[in-house]
Amino acid sequence: MNDYNIFLGVDSHKKYCFVNVQDKEGNIVEEKVVKTEREALKEYFSQFKEDAIATVESTYNWMFTYDILKDYVGEVKLANPKQTKAISSAKVKTDKVDAKTLACLLRADLIPEIYVSTKKERDRKDILRHRFTLVKIRTSLKNKISAFMARYGFEVPLSDAFGVSGTRYVKNLDWKEPAKTIVFKYLEMIESLNREIKQLDKVIAETVKETNQMRLLQTIPGIGKITSYLIATEIGTIERFPSHKNLASYSGLVPGISSSAGKTCYKRSKDRNKYLQWALVEAAIPAVRKSPILLAKYTRIKGRKGSSKAKMAIARRLAEAVFKILTYSQEYKEGVTIQKARSQKTSSLSLA
């Protein structure tokens, strides 16, 4: 922070940005309200130089303001809004106060900073997250059809109830109205989503350049090409995670703990990367089918705690494998332990 003389706290909103400018001593140089428009922001921030540093909170439109800011100041820090509020504990909360608080925290080097992906990584995230959204909607529709089938006592004697044969079988069941109309409409929507996802996969194949990290991830049981793209993109750089436990926590695979008066409560944390969580949880069952080690673990936990917790435990093991493989840049190999890999860098890695 000694390299900077000017500190900008930017509270960005849809229509306006509230800017607080301070010097090294904490004197307010200027307080300004700027329209959140490209030309207006460029005109205002162009007065600053390399000796200025700025911070903006990670709100829904942070990318727009951040990308403009970084062209006019020496450095931009992206702040975690939950943690900045926890640090400031302000009783009076206005946009003007928030901008001042951000500038003060920045000057004191107390900004709880968030990792910022490159523009290229963000573009890749957008298309992969779009695919995630479509798949999630499709899964929801399949679950709705399954619920209707259970309600009317129907079963599909096929491994894939929504493949070509499975869909034909479901359509030929003795449905009564209004269930028939609803189920058939869901099937139409699933078919439409299948086409959209297939087309999107072609676009991803053409636009996403497969990296060595992505290829290494595909050696892990249950992780395919598209899933490896999503995991690698969401992680960014593995060096920002001190251990596999940090990665598992970031992925929402470790429950939050609340303990008081001798009682301990476990609950799912909302502070998580939902895309990483989905990718690792979805990969759990295919991983169990391919890995005897994971199958044994899954079976053991399922017998004691049920399938949901067993699936989550496998997802955590996959997160551990992801961390180790990306850290050591080595392929997964069944039965080779990480302890051996640490002493022999040429070894492959596994979950054993």
Side-chain angles (χ1 to χ4, degrees), residues 42-302:
K42 282 184 176 182
E43 182 181 352
Y44 178 73
F45 291 130
S46 63
Q47 66 180 295
F48 299 102
K49 300 177 181 179
E50 290 295 315
D51 66 339
I53 182 173
T55 184
V56 59
E57 284 188 319
S58 176
T59 52
Y60 79 101
N61 66 333
W62 70 266
M63 275 190 275
F64 178 71
T65 307
Y66 179 94
D67 286 339
I68 294 174
L69 255 173
K70 66 182 178 63
D71 290 334
Y72 296 102
V73 298
E75 184 182 354
V76 184
K77 290 181 177 289
L78 184 64
N80 185 321
K82 291 185 178 180
Q83 293 184 27
T84 53
K85 288 175 176 60
I87 293 171
S88 62
S89 301
K91 292 183 179 179
V92 179
K93 187 187 183 305
T94 64
D95 298 322
K96 183 178 178 180
V97 170
D98 284 350
K100 180 181 178 182
T101 300
L102 286 170
C104 290
L105 292 173
L106 179 63
R107 190 169 49 81
D109 198 17
L110 291 175
I111 290 294
E113 198 172 355
I114 295 176
Y115 171 79
V116 181
S117 303
T118 64
K119 180 66 167 61
K120 187 176 180 180
E121 287 173 333
R122 278 182 267 152
D123 290 342
R124 196 162 65 199
K125 279 183 180 181
D126 286 341
I127 192 168
L128 290 168
R129 287 178 175 184
H130 176 56
R131 186 185 188 278
F132 156 85
T133 301
L134 296 183
V135 172
K136 192 174 181 181
I137 294 171
R138 184 178 64 182
T139 300
S140 175
L141 293 172
K142 289 179 179 180
N143 290 339
K144 290 180 182 295
I145 293 175
S146 296
F148 268 102
M149 293 178 66
R151 187 185 304 176
Y152 290 94
F154 294 140
E155 292 183 5
V156 180
L158 298 167
S159 57
D160 185 4
F162 299 99
V164 176
S165 299
T167 300
R168 188 185 305 114
Y169 183 87
V170 171
K171 285 182 177 180
N172 290 330
L173 290 171
D174 187 22
W175 293 103
K176 306 298 181 184
E177 294 293 353
K180 181 177 181 178
T181 298
I182 296 171
V183 169
F184 276 51
K185 181 57 65 176
Y186 284 158
L187 288 171
E188 286 179 20
M189 294 168 70
I190 290 172
E191 289 173 5
S192 176
L193 284 168
N194 285 338
R195 290 192 295 270
E196 289 291 330
I197 293 169
K198 187 176 181 179
Q199 184 62 36
L200 192 58
D201 285 346
K202 292 181 181 178
V203 175
I204 291 172
E206 294 171 358
T207 58
V208 177
K209 184 179 179 181
E210 189 172 87
T211 64
N212 185 53
Q213 286 78 12
M214 293 172 181
R215 286 188 286 271
L216 288 172
L217 289 174
Q218 291 170 42
T219 66
I220 301 174
I223 295 180
K225 182 170 288 190
I226 299 296
T227 304
S228 74
Y229 292 176
L230 179 62
I231 292 173
T233 302
E234 293 298 331
I235 288 175
T237 172
I238 197 63
E239 285 75 20
R240 65 193 183 104
F241 299 100
S243 72
H244 66 85
K245 293 180 181 179
N246 296 95
L247 178 60
S249 179
Y250 177 72
S251 305
L253 302 174
V254 178
I257 300 176
S258 176
S259 183
S260 179
K263 293 183 179 180
T264 301
C265 178
Y266 296 90
K267 57 183 179 180
R268 188 175 73 172
S269 174
K270 294 181 180 180
D271 296 327
R272 70 191 191 283
N273 185 312
K274 63 181 180 181
Y275 303 102
L276 263 181
Q277 183 186 53
W278 174 85
L280 292 167
V281 171
E282 285 295 303
I285 297 303
V288 166
R289 296 194 187 108
K290 294 182 178 181
S291 168
I293 292 175
L294 294 179
L295 176 59
K297 182 178 179 64
Y298 177 82
T299 305
R300 186 170 63 253
I301 297 175
K302 181 181 178 182

